[in-house]
Amino acid sequence: MLHELQTDIIKGMPVAYFSELYAANATIFIKYSLDKGPNPQLITSLNQLQKFVFEFLKSD
């Protein structure tokens, strides 16, 4: 995703789309964690994804 952000390929996507994508990921993460238990590697990956999404939202 970082590469995509750097090359402006996804700059045309609406902010609302990324907001809904973030909310959906958060919901799925909570359900997965309740079903399977916490996964430190998943938490780290989702944290990085969250940073990318927030950086994108700030740049618009």
Side-chain angles (χ1 to χ4, degrees), residues 36-59:
K36 310 275 188 207
N39 179 322
Q41 187 176 7
L42 179 60
I43 292 168
T44 300
S45 296
L46 289 174
N47 188 39
Q48 191 63 42
L49 179 61
Q50 174 181 311
K51 288 178 185 178
F52 291 146
V53 170
F54 287 158
E55 285 301 314
F56 171 79
L57 294 174
K58 287 193 314 189
S59 70

Side-chain angles (χ1 to χ4, degrees), residues 5-30:
L5 286 170
Q6 290 172 339
T7 59
D8 291 336
I9 292 172
I10 62 172
K11 290 290 185 185
M13 290 189 178
V15 170
Y17 173 80
F18 276 100
S19 299
E20 289 184 35
L21 180 63
Y22 175 75
N25 281 337
T27 302
I28 292 167
F29 169 73
I30 291 169

